[in-house]
Amino acid sequence: MTAIQISSAFDSGNIQVLSIEGDEARLAIRPDRESSFFQWFHFRVSGGSGRTLVLRITGLNGSAYPMGWSGYRACVSEDRQYWGRAETSWDERAEGGTLTIRYTPTSDIAWFAYFAPYSMERHHDLVARIASTPGFDYRCLGATLDGQPIDCLESGEGPVQVWLYARQHPGESMAEWWMEGALAMLADPANSTARELRSRCRLHLIPNLNPDGSARGHLRTNAAGVNLNREWENPTAERSPEVLALRNAMDESGVDFAMDIHGDEAIPAVFLAGFEGIPSLKPQQSEGFRSFAQILERRTPDFQTALGYPITPAGKGNLAMSTNQLAERFVARGCVSMTLEMPFKDHNPAADAHQAWSPERSAQLGRDCLGALLEWLEAGSADSRTTST
């Protein structure tokens, strides 16, 4: 029997082939360049039509988040449009931790990934489409270490400065699917929520802050092996030009509301992380974060507040992380910033047996978050009127 063929020599591809025998393969994930982080995989298998593939990814006890493999199912697609989930099992005792994927493709090529990829070609299509939409402005904030543009799309005439940015961690591709949904809604001239947001806000959206890591198939770092979400206190042109460019742009406009879009490897739910530990925390900031979370939880079953990260003790917030840095940096404006986390597994409170968490749900959550933002702004305006009377 002819052996299957496996390749990852493409945009965001990542896998090392250790051995192939017939329908079975032993594989390993390549770490981020100049870094020990690894978890993202993306590869294609050809020659497997009608054959039950057994793909073993080994050495995963040393991955960035080994606790994320239990209960996880790999993403698979045969047309690169619809991404379902393959039968997947985890054994921490086998070959340093082994994830075994079993799948029988109906066509001769199948793609497997940690999450549905968001390619750089799709990114450029998205930027071109939105930049040519009436009411939108395009702005290049700077360039990455590999020379790629840092794209920013802006819209709205209102005084509230809203910054939404995604893929500081490039392997968290659900973040750019979220952006696609949010931008499609904002660009829809018939959408009343979008019209009202544009009248109240100046919205700045960065669909992909780490295009170098995305193209290279990294999990968490840029071309220099730097975790961008640990650079916000002192970014440099040599290590983290992406953060330096974005933070400089934020300093020019100020920030009233910010959301950093991410994915979480281990927690099977959508949740928010805040800035409770910053040194200059104001009560109105805490209340603003709490009220936004409540609104979003009421608006969609794809969000919850029971699961999430531990609350950081007072004064212990890491100002090198964007959410903390922005809340502290713009505390005089009452800035409310937050990190939105989506799962690589599924949102268990409203699980989907076929796709688990998916590109489609990520995009819908982008729309839901914008709806929650408008309601939050309206509630804040009502509170202000009540307080002033």
Side-chain angles (χ1 to χ4, degrees):
M1 178 182 292
T2 304
I4 56 175
Q5 300 88 45
I6 298 176
S7 172
S8 63
F10 44 77
D11 177 7
S12 82
N14 186 330
I15 206 70
Q16 297 176 356
V17 178
L18 304 179
S19 65
I20 299 176
E21 295 184 10
D23 303 332
E24 302 191 11
R26 289 178 61 252
L27 309 167
I29 299 174
R30 183 185 69 249
D32 293 4
R33 179 178 179 270
E34 303 295 333
S35 169
S36 61
F37 289 119
F38 70 93
Q39 193 120 357
W40 170 264
F41 61 87
H42 180 199
F43 59 92
R44 53 170 262 179
V45 178
S46 57
S49 178
R51 300 161 67 175
T52 300
L53 307 178
V54 181
L55 311 170
R56 296 184 176 91
I57 305 178
T58 63
L60 296 180
N61 287 339
S63 61
Y65 301 97
M67 73 291 289
W69 299 116
S70 179
Y72 166 79
R73 291 184 292 150
C75 294
V76 61
S77 178
E78 295 186 32
D79 61 7
R80 300 205 302 169
Q81 299 298 314
Y82 175 85
W83 287 85
R85 298 282 177 150
E87 178 189 344
T88 308
S89 60
W90 164 245
D91 186 347
E92 65 180 3
R93 298 165 297 179
E95 293 194 83
T98 297
L99 190 79
T100 301
I101 304 166
R102 290 179 171 83
Y103 182 73
T104 305
T106 58
S107 60
D108 212 38
I109 307 178
W111 281 261
F112 298 86
Y114 190 34
F115 192 79
Y118 198 102
S119 72
M120 289 308 302
E121 279 301 305
R122 192 178 184 107
H123 167 86
H124 290 303
D125 288 344
L126 173 67
V127 170
R129 183 168 67 252
I130 301 300
S132 64
T133 299
F136 268 86
D137 300 312
Y138 170 79
R139 182 180 177 191
C140 180
L141 300 183
T144 68
L145 292 170
D146 282 346
Q148 296 198 72
I150 303 167
D151 296 318
C152 179
L153 298 158
E154 301 179 324
S155 187
E157 305 80 35
V160 180
Q161 298 293 327
V162 174
W163 286 85
L164 309 172
Y165 50 105
R167 293 192 83 176
Q168 288 204 78
H169 297 151
E172 297 164 13
S173 55
M174 60 281 288
E176 196 156 6
W177 291 108
W178 185 102
M179 276 287 174
E180 184 173 295
L183 283 164
M185 176 178 171
L186 286 172
D188 182 356
N191 190 291
S192 57
T193 297
R195 289 200 307 271
E196 184 62 22
L197 281 172
R198 292 193 300 268
S199 72
R200 289 172 176 262
C201 306
R202 181 64 173 172
L203 298 120
H204 315 260
L205 296 93
I206 297 86
N208 188 337
L209 189 59
N210 195 342
D212 291 355
S214 301
R216 288 169 175 265
H218 286 189
L219 173 72
R220 281 179 77 80
T221 68
N222 69 358
V226 171
N227 179 352
L228 295 184
N229 202 28
R230 299 300 184 272
E231 292 287 303
W232 281 75
E233 192 167 20
N234 186 31
T236 66
E238 295 73 26
R239 284 174 51 87
S240 48
E242 304 90 346
V243 173
L244 182 62
L246 176 52
R247 204 186 71 173
N248 286 345
M250 290 172 160
D251 284 345
E252 292 173 8
S253 69
V255 181
D256 298 306
F257 181 94
M259 185 179 284
D260 181 14
I261 317 301
H262 282 262
D264 182 87
E265 290 79 3
I267 298 176
V270 180
F271 61 97
L272 288 173
F275 48 87
E276 297 85 354
I278 65 170
S280 306
L281 181 65
K282 304 300 182 187
Q284 60 267 36
Q285 290 177 294
S286 298
E287 174 56 27
F289 175 80
R290 185 194 64 81
S291 63
F292 182 87
Q294 287 183 333
I295 291 169
L296 186 58
E297 186 171 34
R298 179 176 50 76
R299 292 182 69 97
T300 173
D302 275 347
F303 177 77
Q304 56 79 56
T305 56
L307 299 176
Y309 299 145
I311 301 298
T312 304
K316 301 295 184 181
N318 183 355
L319 297 182
M321 300 174 70
S322 68
T323 289
N324 291 326
Q325 176 63 214
L326 295 177
E328 179 71 18
R329 195 176 191 86
F330 299 101
V331 66
R333 299 177 68 107
C335 173
V336 174
S337 59
M338 60 195 70
T339 303
L340 177 71
E341 298 281 0
M342 291 173 280
F344 281 89
K345 298 177 181 179
D346 200 354
H347 180 70
N348 281 358
D352 180 342
H354 299 288
Q355 287 186 282
W357 193 253
S358 65
E360 293 82 0
R361 293 174 79 180
S362 301
Q364 180 57 48
L365 185 63
R367 301 181 188 97
D368 291 333
C369 286
L370 291 180
L373 174 59
L374 177 58
E375 184 175 340
W376 182 79
L377 291 168
E378 290 173 336
S381 298
D383 291 343
S384 297
R385 290 194 298 271
T386 301
T387 301
S388 64
T389 56

